Every structure is written in C-alpha cells, then in structure tokens.
Amino acid sequence: MSSSCSSDQAFVTLATNDNYAKGAMVLGKSLKNHKTSRKLVALVGPHVSDPSREVLRQIYDEVRLVDVLDSGDTAHLAMMKRPDLGVTFTKLHCWTLTHYSKCVFMDADTLVLSNIDELFDREELSAAPDPGWPDCFNSGVFVFRPSNETYGKLLQYCTEHGSFDGGDQGVLNGFFSNWSTADITKHLPFIYNMSSIAIYTYLPAFKQYGANAKVVHFLGQTKPWSYTYDPKERRVRGDTHEASSHPSFLLQWWALYSSSVVPMLQAAYGDQPFLSGCEEELSQIAHLAPPPMSSEERKQKWEQGQADYMGIDSFDNIQKKLDAFLK
C-alpha cells in the first residue's frame, strides 16, 4: 500500500453522457468489489441525466459536474480557440481535483479485475503503452498529481498545439512527450490497461499473460453497453465481430451491470421509461426488436466474416445441427 494517506488519493473517471455513465457505474462497482481503499470520483458532463447522477452518487464518493462551455475559467477561454477539443478539455479537469494528492484516472470503458491500489505507488505521468503505437501511452489509465499549475499548462498546450489525434491522448502524449524515454518506472505493465483489441492482434501473448490482467479496456467503436444481454442464458448479443475477441470480459461486464447496476437504475428512474439492454426487458418492447434474419441475410453475414459467434452461429448450435443431420 502507498505510504501516503489513502484518504487523499482517488480513482477518477469521466462520463459525458448516460451511456458512459453506465460504464462509470460498472467501473466504480468493480473497484469496490475488489476492495479499493481509495476514494472514487466521477466527473460528469451536463448531458448526464439526473437519474444517472443519482446512481453515480450512490457508488462514488464525489460526483462533480464539469462543463467547459459554461465555465468562466481558463478552460472556457481555451475552448473558444479550440472548439474541436471539447471533450478533451472536460477530461483535463481531473487536474483540478487538488484536494487529492495523487489520483489514477480510468476511462469509463474500463473494468477492474483485481485490486490495483498499488498504482498509487507510481508517479505522474505513469501509463501503459498504447497497442497501436507503443511509444505513445494509452490515456485510458494513468497516474497523475492534481495541480492547478499543470492544469493551466495543459490548457495552454492545447490552445497552442492542439491534439495530433483529435483527443486527449494526443494532447497528453504531446505534453508528457518524454514518457517513452525518460523513466521506465512510469511505464505501467500492459496488464493495467489491457486493450480488448490487443487480445485479437496478438493472441499468443494473451494466452500467455492474459490471466494476469488487472484492468481490461474496451477500446474500439463498440462498447459493452452497445450490446444486449440475456441474463438467464448469460449470453451477450449484438455485432459480435468485435466481441468475439474478448467474450469472457464482456460477459463479466454484463454480469456486474445486470446484477448490481440495473436495479439501482430502475429505482432511480422510477416510472420513467428506461432501457437497460437486458433482453427480458427488451422483449416487452417488441416493436423495438429487429425482425429475425432471413437465411439469405445470414449467408451474407457469414460471407462477410460477421457470423453471430455468440448467438445463433455459436459452436454449440452448429454442433447440434450437425448431430441432428448425422442422425
């Protein structure tokens, strides 16, 4: 455990809308389930609904509204010059949490698989390499020290240089530009930010080291909340082309979300309509369900490499068809 008092250290995440708020809820629950001794802080944008904020307040020690567009601070001035970096400015607000001595930022599309409090032994800016370009760090998980001075310098850097990838990762890699060469102790092992995409690109390494993973990061366009889930069969459904590379982690996310988060959301929404993504509920709203796929459409999906590996085209279902045919 870190030598500093754990009460002045925190895990921090950011939710800009209700979907990312669901991710933040699961992340917070996973940190608590693995007995973190640190505080939990959620930064939320103005588009996060009141019921979602209510649930976040039940999970997090602190829920803070951040909105660069309506603020009169330096971020507002920087925003006027660089409107393309709106979400990035919102994320940089984490440096203003100066009532904490050290924090670990985690994107809302991450899931904690074991206790990671040892990250607080690391210094700013510690992060894991990005699988796409390992001389850059991935900004989904990083250790930092809140500081108004650093915050001001980051905003100034944003205004003058922008972001080479259009987001916070480009800004932070530009600002902390010596990360790859200066101090190897600031290179977090990949198990602290294991991208679900990397599982697919280097499967032998995943088979060798994947069991040691402590944080999985659902990179890519399709997020866990984009799928639907059948709690009875414990199956995830959706565009499973991406999901097939990390089905067990996706199932862990949905198991935690459906058992712990959905009841809290249902209580917070009360009589208001609310879509959880669980199929039991979706079946009650039949007009929203897509029509069953024709055999021709299914054939086209197969030819495009988009078989429903976790649903109708699963190995078990194919085996049953073969067994029935052979009999």
Side-chain angles (χ1 to χ4, degrees):
M1 186 172 285
S2 206
S3 56
S4 179
C5 174
S6 60
S7 64
D8 73 343
Q9 299 180 341
F11 285 101
V12 182
T13 192
L14 167 67
T16 49
N17 57 39
D18 278 355
N19 280 330
Y20 276 86
K22 289 177 184 175
M25 292 165 198
V26 173
L27 170 61
K29 280 283 186 184
S30 69
L31 282 161
K32 285 190 161 180
N33 286 353
H34 293 293
K35 306 283 192 292
T36 180
S37 62
R38 274 32 179 211
K39 298 282 189 184
L40 303 185
V41 179
L43 305 178
V44 297
H47 299 300
V48 175
S49 68
D50 289 338
S52 291
R53 292 186 205 188
E54 185 183 322
V55 174
L56 285 168
R57 278 193 287 268
Q58 294 174 51
I59 300 170
Y60 284 78
D61 298 292
E62 184 179 348
V63 176
R64 178 180 286 209
L65 177 66
V66 286
D67 181 10
V68 294
L69 287 171
D70 291 341
S71 74
D73 60 13
T74 45
H76 181 65
L77 299 173
M79 183 78 183
M80 294 302 98
K81 293 181 183 174
R82 301 295 309 218
D84 52 312
L85 296 176
V87 175
T88 298
F89 287 130
T90 309
K91 188 167 180 177
L92 296 182
H93 265 90
C94 66
W95 264 272
T96 66
L97 298 167
T98 52
H99 47 300
Y100 298 106
S101 64
K102 192 186 288 185
C103 296
V104 174
F105 186 92
M106 302 188 73
D107 275 349
D109 58 352
T110 57
L111 176 70
V112 171
L113 307 174
S114 65
N115 187 286
I116 53 171
D117 285 359
E118 67 272 14
L119 285 179
F120 289 90
D121 292 333
R122 303 280 183 148
E123 272 308 322
E124 179 177 273
L125 187 288
S126 292
D130 187 82
W133 194 265
D135 281 347
C136 290
F137 57 83
N138 182 278
S139 61
V141 178
F142 61 85
V143 183
F144 71 100
R145 284 192 177 274
S147 156
N148 286 323
E149 184 185 355
T150 307
Y151 175 63
K153 287 179 178 175
L154 277 162
L155 293 177
Q156 187 179 352
Y157 181 90
C158 272
T159 310
E160 292 174 3
H161 304 281
S163 167
F164 67 74
D165 68 354
D168 61 270
Q169 186 158 306
V171 167
L172 292 173
N173 272 278
F175 186 80
F176 296 100
S177 59
N178 65 352
W179 172 84
S180 65
T181 55
D183 185 354
I184 196 72
T185 65
K186 293 182 180 179
H187 289 216
L188 296 183
F190 195 59
I191 58 168
Y192 289 104
N193 187 356
M194 187 183 69
S195 112
S196 49
I197 289 172
I199 298 169
Y200 179 73
T201 53
Y202 194 8
L203 194 57
F206 172 66
K207 286 177 177 173
Q208 177 73 12
Y209 303 112
N212 301 321
K214 294 196 168 197
V215 178
V216 63
H217 188 181
F218 296 97
L219 278 177
Q221 287 186 317
T222 314
K223 300 301 180 188
W225 52 83
S226 308
Y227 300 92
T228 56
Y229 178 66
D230 183 342
K232 287 181 181 171
E233 291 192 22
R234 295 184 180 179
R235 278 199 172 169
V236 176
R237 302 183 199 279
D239 180 2
T240 52
H241 185 63
E242 280 189 42
S244 59
S245 63
H246 51 88
S248 64
F249 298 121
L250 200 54
L251 285 169
Q252 282 187 60
W253 190 97
W254 270 98
L256 182 52
Y257 170 71
S258 62
S259 64
S260 298
V261 172
V262 170
M264 297 171 79
L265 281 167
Q266 285 170 336
Y269 273 91
D271 297 331
Q272 295 177 60
F274 153 68
L275 275 179
S276 69
C278 294
E279 288 193 353
E280 290 169 336
E281 178 194 86
L282 289 173
S283 64
Q284 296 165 12
I285 314 172
H287 65 279
L288 290 179
M293 200 182 296
S294 70
S295 55
E296 184 58 35
E297 287 172 317
R298 198 169 154 214
K299 181 185 169 196
Q300 285 178 346
K301 287 275 189 187
W302 268 83
E303 289 170 351
Q304 293 163 3
Q306 295 175 352
D308 184 7
Y309 300 111
M310 299 170 79
I312 195 169
D313 301 319
S314 69
F315 179 78
D316 288 346
N317 282 344
I318 292 169
Q319 186 75 50
K320 283 175 193 169
K321 282 270 173 70
L322 286 171
D323 289 346
F325 177 75
L326 291 171
K327 283 176 185 171

